[in-house]
Amino acid sequence: MFMVGANVMLEYSCEEATTLLQKNLENAKASLEVLVANLQFLLDQVTITQVMMARVYNWDVHQKRIRQAGAPAKYS
């Protein structure tokens, strides 16, 4: 017997159950590879966002120091 879910049970021969479980395992491994690639992409995007936020913050600090010194603002 093989439990499918939601209290549903099906009966498979050992060969059919092995084939079904092997197919499910292959599908899970393929999904895992896609998930890992997506997570790596997200990690790269988070890193890029953090760097850009730091650059904007540093630019703002620089602009405030220029304004406090009374010098005209220069965009660089």
Side-chain angles (χ1 to χ4, degrees):
M1 297 245 179
F2 184 70
M3 185 69 116
V4 176
N7 294 326
V8 176
M9 293 181 69
L10 298 174
E11 190 170 331
Y12 290 98
S13 67
C14 285
E15 185 178 307
E16 289 174 324
T18 302
T19 303
L20 177 64
L21 291 173
Q22 188 64 37
K23 182 179 176 184
N24 288 348
L25 179 61
E26 290 170 7
N27 289 340
K29 286 180 180 180
S31 294
L32 179 61
E33 288 180 21
V34 171
L35 179 64
V36 168
N38 287 342
L39 287 175
Q40 184 60 49
F41 174 78
L42 286 175
L43 180 61
D44 292 343
Q45 293 304 305
V46 167
T47 301
I48 290 169
T49 301
Q50 289 173 337
V51 168
M52 294 307 296
M53 288 173 61
R55 288 180 178 174
V56 169
Y57 177 81
N58 290 339
W59 177 85
D60 187 52
V61 168
H62 180 70
Q63 293 302 310
K64 286 178 182 177
R65 286 182 182 164
I66 290 174
R67 276 186 255 126
Q68 287 175 353
K74 181 171 118 180
Y75 297 99
S76 56

